[in-house]
Amino acid sequence: MVGVIVFLFLIILIVIVIVKGIRIVPQQTVAIVERVGKFYKTLHAGINIIIPIIDNVRSRHDLRIQQEKVPSQSVITKDNVAIGVELATFFSVVDPKLATYGIANYVQGIHNIVASALRSTIGKMELDEILSNRDRIQAELRQALDNASENWGVRIDRVEILQLEIPIDIQTSMEKQMRAEREKRANILQAEGEKQATVLRAEAQQSAVILAAEAEKRRQILDAEAKQKSQELEALGRAEAIKLVANAERSRIEALNEAGLNSEILTYKSFEALSEMAKGEASTIFIPTDVVSTLGSVGAIAKVFKLDKNTDK
């Protein structure tokens, strides 16, 4: 009976030892193991075996990015304005051994180094510069924290300014200044708009005058061209008429020549025509110039009329 009890005790002891020697580490988590009080190894995700009593798990570290809100810090700017700054830091453990043995509490260390770096950075800047350059402040803080936490096994991924608390009187003054700036910009924009409108109206009037002058110039040119064209057409018509008369006269002369009528016969016919005309009651007779030249003198014409009168008697 005693042997059975001892056997069962040994079995239970072995089970306890096995259970104590098995360590299951979750994903993105590591454990620091010490053997007889000294660092032995780092346990990673999965099932790990250690020796109970001899090996001891000192601490566990989460390898994910962690967010830590830094309590509000009162900081004085370069222009002597006291403001409250509330920050949030994003960091991750990159060396679990250094994070365990490099600093007692790296979270508290981050808080303290953030407060120191914040006072150093903002103390060199004026309030307006702080309000308009948050990215610069965040970059300088991140660089300062990286340099300070390099031996802690911690990497600062990002620093965010969550809130800036400005005194009420300063905030009221800034609101008045912003309102004045807005009114100034509005007046400037209005003046610029009126100036631009005046310039555009002047340009429009100038363009209208130029277009009117161009139109009048084109009208005068068209009138001159039309008048010139009319004169050319009239001249062409006259030339064509003269040409037709000349052609008709040439045709008549050619017809007379073809009929055998020479200048003597035509002169005689002219005498006969004048004689017949003299028999009339008219006292005035129009004689063509070519007939007059043919007759040779005014005396010949008188003889013709005299002969005709004697005949009537």
Side-chain angles (χ1 to χ4, degrees), residues 9 11 36 94 123 136 147 192 211 216 233 238 240 244 246 252 296:
F9 176 76
I11 294 297
V36 195
V94 294
R136 173 187 167 187
N147 295 334
E192 288 290 338
L211 291 175
E216 180 64 20
L233 292 175
R238 291 177 181 176
E240 189 67 23
L244 292 175
R252 184 180 68 82

Side-chain angles (χ1 to χ4, degrees), residues 251-269:
S251 299
R252 184 180 68 82
I253 294 172
E254 290 177 354
L256 291 175
N257 291 330
E258 290 177 357
L261 297 176
N262 53 21
S263 58
E264 295 178 354
I265 296 175
L266 291 176
T267 302
Y268 178 75
K269 293 295 184 181

Side-chain angles (χ1 to χ4, degrees), residues 35-140:
R35 174 169 288 181
V36 195
K38 295 176 62 176
F39 173 76
Y40 173 59
K41 66 178 180 179
T42 301
L43 302 182
H44 297 280
I47 298 176
N48 297 271
I49 305 297
I50 63 173
I51 300 175
I53 301 175
I54 298 176
D55 294 339
N56 178 42
V57 176
R58 167 71 183 271
S59 62
R60 293 174 181 266
H61 296 284
D62 192 343
L63 299 182
R64 296 174 297 177
I65 295 177
Q66 302 177 53
Q67 176 184 348
E68 188 67 25
K69 187 176 179 180
V70 180
S72 179
Q73 303 292 322
S74 180
V75 186
I76 299 177
T77 64
K78 184 178 180 180
D79 50 353
N80 297 322
V81 178
I83 61 175
V85 183
E86 188 174 335
L87 297 172
T89 58
F90 298 83
F91 63 91
S92 59
V93 176
V94 294
D95 191 333
K97 182 179 178 180
L98 285 177
T100 303
Y101 300 104
I103 187 171
N105 187 338
Y106 57 79
V107 174
Q108 188 63 37
I110 290 174
H111 289 179
N112 294 333
I113 199 66
V114 163
S116 176
L118 185 64
R119 289 186 177 89
S120 175
T121 301
I122 291 183
K124 299 181 295 184
M125 303 172 65
E126 295 183 354
L127 181 59
D128 293 338
E129 190 177 3
I130 293 171
L131 296 176
S132 60
N133 289 285
R134 288 194 178 190
D135 292 339
R136 173 187 167 187
I137 298 173
Q138 293 170 176
E140 291 185 3

Side-chain angles (χ1 to χ4, degrees), residues 23-31 43-48 60-61:
R23 290 291 184 266
I24 298 176
V25 180
Q27 184 69 30
Q28 287 294 96
T29 304
V30 296
L43 302 182
H44 297 280
I47 298 176
N48 297 271
R60 293 174 181 266
H61 296 284

Side-chain angles (χ1 to χ4, degrees), residues 16-35:
I16 292 174
V17 170
I18 293 174
V19 171
K20 288 289 185 179
I22 296 176
R23 290 291 184 266
I24 298 176
V25 180
Q27 184 69 30
Q28 287 294 96
T29 304
V30 296
I32 299 298
V33 177
E34 292 180 346
R35 174 169 288 181

Side-chain angles (χ1 to χ4, degrees), residues 86-252:
E86 188 174 335
L87 297 172
T89 58
F90 298 83
F91 63 91
S92 59
V93 176
V94 294
D95 191 333
K97 182 179 178 180
L98 285 177
T100 303
Y101 300 104
I103 187 171
N105 187 338
Y106 57 79
V107 174
Q108 188 63 37
I110 290 174
H111 289 179
N112 294 333
I113 199 66
V114 163
S116 176
L118 185 64
R119 289 186 177 89
S120 175
T121 301
I122 291 183
K124 299 181 295 184
M125 303 172 65
E126 295 183 354
L127 181 59
D128 293 338
E129 190 177 3
I130 293 171
L131 296 176
S132 60
N133 289 285
R134 288 194 178 190
D135 292 339
R136 173 187 167 187
I137 298 173
Q138 293 170 176
E140 291 185 3
L141 287 175
R142 182 176 179 274
Q143 183 178 2
L145 292 173
D146 278 341
N147 295 334
S149 62
E150 184 177 358
N151 297 325
W152 300 351
V154 178
R155 182 183 66 232
I156 307 298
D157 297 306
R158 190 173 182 84
V159 178
E160 288 289 344
I161 298 177
L162 301 179
Q163 187 176 357
L164 291 173
E165 297 177 0
I166 304 173
I168 299 299
D169 55 342
I170 300 297
Q171 188 173 356
T172 303
S173 177
M174 291 177 62
E175 290 177 355
K176 291 181 180 178
Q177 183 179 358
M178 291 175 63
R179 192 179 299 111
E181 285 291 334
R182 291 192 186 98
E183 292 178 357
K184 178 181 177 182
R185 292 176 184 176
N187 293 332
I188 292 174
L189 290 176
Q190 183 177 359
E192 288 290 338
E194 292 177 355
K195 176 183 177 182
Q196 189 68 21
T198 302
V199 172
L200 291 176
R201 282 195 295 268
E203 291 179 352
Q205 293 176 357
Q206 182 181 3
S207 299
V209 171
I210 293 174
L211 291 175
E214 289 289 337
E216 180 64 20
K217 178 181 177 181
R218 292 178 182 176
R219 187 189 65 78
Q220 293 177 359
I221 292 173
L222 292 175
D223 290 344
E225 290 178 351
K227 186 175 181 180
Q228 180 181 0
K229 190 68 175 178
S230 176
Q231 291 176 353
E232 290 177 355
L233 292 175
E234 184 178 357
L236 289 175
R238 291 177 181 176
E240 189 67 23
I242 293 172
K243 182 178 180 181
L244 292 175
V245 170
N247 290 334
E249 182 65 19
R250 184 178 60 186
S251 299
R252 184 180 68 82

